[in-house]
C-alpha cells in the first residue's frame, strides 16, 4: 500500500491523449492523462467513464451540448453516449473506468492506446 | 450529464464520517466525506477502497504502519486489510468503491451509515 502523489505522477510522462494507470481496484482502473487539442468522437458501449479535471479546463462535446469542466470538477459519461473531449491548453485529468476501457472506445485509430503503462 | 463541482458538494453537509454519494458508474460509487478525529478499525472483506484527499491531511493506520495522505494524494486499500482512518483537523476526502461498500466494513456500530444520500 503506497501513497500516490498525483502531481508527481504527472511529471513522469508528457505525451498528450496517452493515459497511464496509477491504480486498480475492483476491476476498475484509475488513469491519468495530459490532453490538449481535439480528441475524436467516440463512445464506450459497455463502460461508464468518469473524468476529473486536476488542472486546466476541459471541454467535452456531446451531440446536444458542450460542457466545460474546470479544476476540481468531474463528470460521468454513461455508456453508449458519444463524446469528444477537447481543450485549448494542456489539461491534467484523472479517469476512473473499467479495466476493459479503451481510450477511443468503439473506434480504433491512430489515437488508440492499448497496454497502458502503470506508473 | 451534469458537471459536478466537488467544492460546492462539500458545502451541502457538515457531519463527520458520513459519506455522501456524488456519482455512480459501473456498479461503483463516488462518495465524498468530511472526517475529523478517529474512526474505528475495520475492513471490507470483498471491496477494495480508494481514498483521495481533497483538502487537509489524512492518516490511515494499518497493522504494520501509519500512512499520511495529503491533498492531491490517494491510496488504495485492498479488500481484507484492516485499517483505521484518523485526522487531527477536518479533512475532505473522496472515495471510490463498490456500491455495496459500508463505511464501517464488516463491523457494525454507531458509526455505520447505510442508505447514503446522493447530493
Amino acid at each position: 500500500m503506497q501513497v500516490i502523489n498525483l502531481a508527481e505522477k504527472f511529471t513522469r510522462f508528457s505525451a498528450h491523449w496517452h493515459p497511464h494507470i496509477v491504480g486498480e481496484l475492483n476491476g476498475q482502473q484509475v488513469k491519468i492523462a495530459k490532453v490538449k487539442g481535439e480528441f475524436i468522437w467516440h463512445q464506450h458501449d459497455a463502460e461508464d467513464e468518469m473524468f476529473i479535471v486536476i488542472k486546466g479546463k476541459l471541454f467535452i462535446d456531446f451531440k446536444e451540448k458542450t460542457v466545460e469542466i474546470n479544476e476540481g470538477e468531474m463528470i460521468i459519461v454513461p455508456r453508449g453516449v458519444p463524446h469528444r473531449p477537447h481543450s485549448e491548453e494542456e489539461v491534467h485529468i484523472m479517469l476512473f473506468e473499467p479495466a476493459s476501457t479503451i481510450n477511443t472506445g468503439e473506434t480504433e485509430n491512430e489515437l488508440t492506446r492499448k497496454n497502458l503503462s502503470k506508473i
Side-chain angles (χ1 to χ4, degrees), chain A:
Chain A
M1 271 164 306
Q2 294 226 301
V3 175
I4 295 163
N5 182 295
L6 292 169
E8 188 278 325
K9 294 291 189 192
F10 274 108
T11 66
R12 298 193 184 195
F13 64 96
S14 57
H16 292 150
W17 305 112
H18 190 144
H20 290 71
I21 299 164
V22 295
E24 302 192 59
L25 71 164
N26 305 303
Q28 315 292 308
Q29 288 180 332
V30 185
K31 301 171 185 171
I32 60 172
K34 294 179 177 176
V35 306
K36 184 180 177 183
E38 194 162 281
F39 204 59
I40 57 162
W41 277 105
H42 68 287
Q43 67 188 66
H44 309 278
D45 285 345
E47 296 120 344
D48 311 319
E49 187 172 43
M50 176 169 159
F51 296 80
I52 303 180
V53 173
I54 305 290
K55 189 172 114 181
K57 183 193 298 283
L58 179 70
F59 296 91
I60 301 181
D61 293 339
F62 299 101
K63 292 297 183 190
E64 321 242 310
K65 65 178 178 181
T66 295
V67 299
E68 175 184 318
I69 310 163
N70 289 289
E71 188 173 320
E73 295 183 333
M74 55 176 259
I75 193 169
I76 294 171
V77 180
R79 61 194 66 191
V81 174
H83 56 285
R84 176 172 58 181
H86 56 97
S87 74
E88 292 170 16
E89 302 298 329
E90 183 175 272
V91 183
H92 293 189
I93 61 174
M94 184 161 61
L95 299 155
F96 186 59
E97 56 196 13
S100 56
T101 308
I102 304 294
N103 64 329
T104 52
E106 310 308 318
T107 308
E108 187 157 335
N109 74 0
E110 72 280 4
L111 288 167
T112 301
R113 297 285 177 269
K114 295 180 179 176
N115 304 314
L116 302 178
S117 300
K118 185 159 185 179
I119 58 173

